Amino acid sequence: MRPTWRTVGVVGVAVGSILMAAASGARALNALAAPALIALLVSVVQVFLAGRPEIDREDPVPGHPGESRTVELTVDGGALARVTDAVPPGVAAEGYDRRVTLPATVAYEIELGARGAWDLGPPRVVVTDVLGLFVRSFEPEGTATALVYPPLVDLREDDAVARLLGYDTATDRQAFDTIREYAPGDPLRDVHWKSSAKRSDDDLVVKQFVSEQRESTLTIAAGATPGHDDAMASAAASLAVLAMDAGLSVGITCPAGEVPTGRGQAHRRHVLDLLARTGPGQPARPAREGADVVLTADEDGVTATIDGQDHHLSVGPTPPEPPEGDGERARAVVGSSGDASAEQEVSR
């Protein structure tokens, strides 16, 4: 707990009144000193009794670079306070500078930047009394993770990818072969409604074409040399998402781990989560040897090995590295923008 500049003024009034009353005998001046001293005492007690606030928060929804998300913090307590959240260099935050009355839920906007898992918090809470005479700073536990997925690149025009996923055989798409049960991730345009209506179990069936008989799964093994893991993650995510959109069951192995083959939105999130967190390195040799596609990123770019043939993938420039800090993370204020420190602002 520390006094503010306002406290200095109140103390000056009280002390001056007492000295003047003692020197001149005008005891009426004590009427100024008494309220000032009472205000100081009440303010100290109020800030002391406020206690340490606690934070309740959840992770923002993951997304790709350039997308915006709302971060919310619920702060308990029973005093006036200013809340400041710690934001890493990889995440741009647009905050506000305002005082809140606890308990309160405060929010601010962030723009997702470089790929990765970025820690938000712990926040700083500066508590003050109603007169702004004393402030007390806390840094309660309460962190969240802003997960930034790899940027996606459109690979549909790539010849090797088109052959791999069957995009180069448009006539095969028209060659109806049979029907099968619906699986999560299958496009609704392929549902065979007439056959589905005749089924007693109400399950849907989809049309299966000649091209779909070739491959129903796609396994990807991705690795990168140090400094090129962003390009590897972007290429792997782009290929995996494109394959899942085409109805394939996709599995992926990378330096951060493995996601078995699967379909659907939940499976897509698992794949992107893994690729958001991966770093450089190479998957195990059995995973590389058994994969349908092996992706390798190095100083020469991203190479896709398909059926023993190497093919260069154009995944664009890698996202910029986040700026190096001096050991302390930047802080974005929950409220309107301002440059003054938290303790100075809250004491005004």
Side-chain angles (χ1 to χ4, degrees):
M1 184 186 303
R2 73 167 184 83
T4 66
W5 286 110
R6 189 177 298 177
T7 309
V8 176
V10 174
V11 172
V13 170
V15 173
S17 299
I18 293 173
L19 293 177
M20 291 176 64
S24 63
R27 297 186 179 278
L29 291 173
N30 290 333
L32 294 176
L37 294 175
I38 293 174
L40 290 171
L41 179 61
V42 171
S43 296
V44 169
V45 172
Q46 185 180 12
V47 173
F48 180 78
L49 293 179
R52 175 178 292 273
E54 293 186 357
I55 304 295
D56 184 22
R57 65 191 305 172
E58 295 182 356
D59 295 340
V61 177
H64 296 278
E67 296 179 349
S68 297
R69 293 293 184 268
T70 299
V71 179
E72 290 189 350
L73 305 87
T74 299
V75 189
D76 72 355
L80 294 177
R82 183 181 175 196
V83 180
T84 306
D85 203 16
V87 178
V91 179
E94 181 178 347
Y96 296 87
D97 184 6
R98 81 166 190 259
R99 294 195 303 174
V100 296
T101 301
L102 303 180
T105 298
V106 289
Y108 64 94
E109 296 294 319
I110 61 173
E111 181 179 341
L112 304 181
R115 177 190 68 91
W118 302 96
D119 289 334
L120 303 173
R124 178 183 297 151
V125 180
V126 182
V127 175
T128 186
D129 59 278
V130 293
L131 298 178
L133 299 180
F134 293 91
V135 293
R136 189 179 179 189
S137 296
F138 299 94
E139 195 167 284
E141 294 182 0
T143 60
T145 300
L147 194 62
V148 185
Y149 292 151
L152 298 180
V153 180
D154 190 356
L155 297 176
R156 289 176 296 181
E157 300 300 322
D158 187 282
D159 292 340
V161 173
R163 288 192 298 270
L164 177 69
L165 302 182
Y167 286 133
D168 63 334
T169 55
T171 54
D172 286 346
R173 177 71 191 176
Q174 306 303 320
F176 175 74
D177 183 76
T178 184
I179 59 174
R180 60 175 173 82
E181 291 187 357
Y182 176 84
D186 288 334
L188 290 178
R189 62 188 175 93
D190 287 345
V191 173
H192 197 283
W193 298 106
K194 186 175 181 180
S195 298
S196 299
K198 296 178 180 179
R199 294 172 65 92
S200 58
D201 52 9
D202 294 330
D203 288 339
L204 297 178
V205 293
V206 295
K207 295 173 285 186
Q208 186 161 285
F209 299 89
V210 172
S211 59
E212 292 176 336
Q213 292 294 327
R214 298 173 180 169
E215 294 291 345
S216 60
T217 63
L218 179 71
T219 54
I220 303 170
T225 59
H228 301 281
D229 45 306
D230 282 341
M232 173 266 289
S234 179
S238 301
L239 179 58
V241 169
L242 186 61
M244 283 185 277
D245 288 344
L248 275 67
S249 179
V250 176
I252 188 162
T253 304
C254 66
E258 177 185 4
V259 174
T261 55
R263 292 187 175 93
Q265 289 300 317
H267 182 73
R268 172 175 171 150
R269 288 193 297 270
H270 291 158
V271 169
L272 293 176
D273 285 358
L274 179 67
L275 292 173
R277 300 175 185 274
T278 191
Q282 296 294 335
R285 182 175 179 180
R288 296 198 307 270
E289 292 178 347
D292 298 314
V293 181
V294 177
L295 297 176
T296 305
D298 52 27
E299 63 275 5
D300 296 325
V302 179
T303 301
T305 303
I306 305 172
D307 293 331
Q309 299 295 319
D310 290 343
H311 174 75
H312 177 75
L313 287 182
S314 298
V315 296
T318 58
E321 292 292 331
E324 295 183 358
D326 58 358
E328 292 192 15
R329 288 174 291 175
R331 289 187 174 268
V333 178
V334 180
S336 60
S337 60
D339 338 45
S341 70
E343 295 188 0
Q344 290 175 333
E345 279 297 313
V346 80
S347 63
R348 289 181 182 175

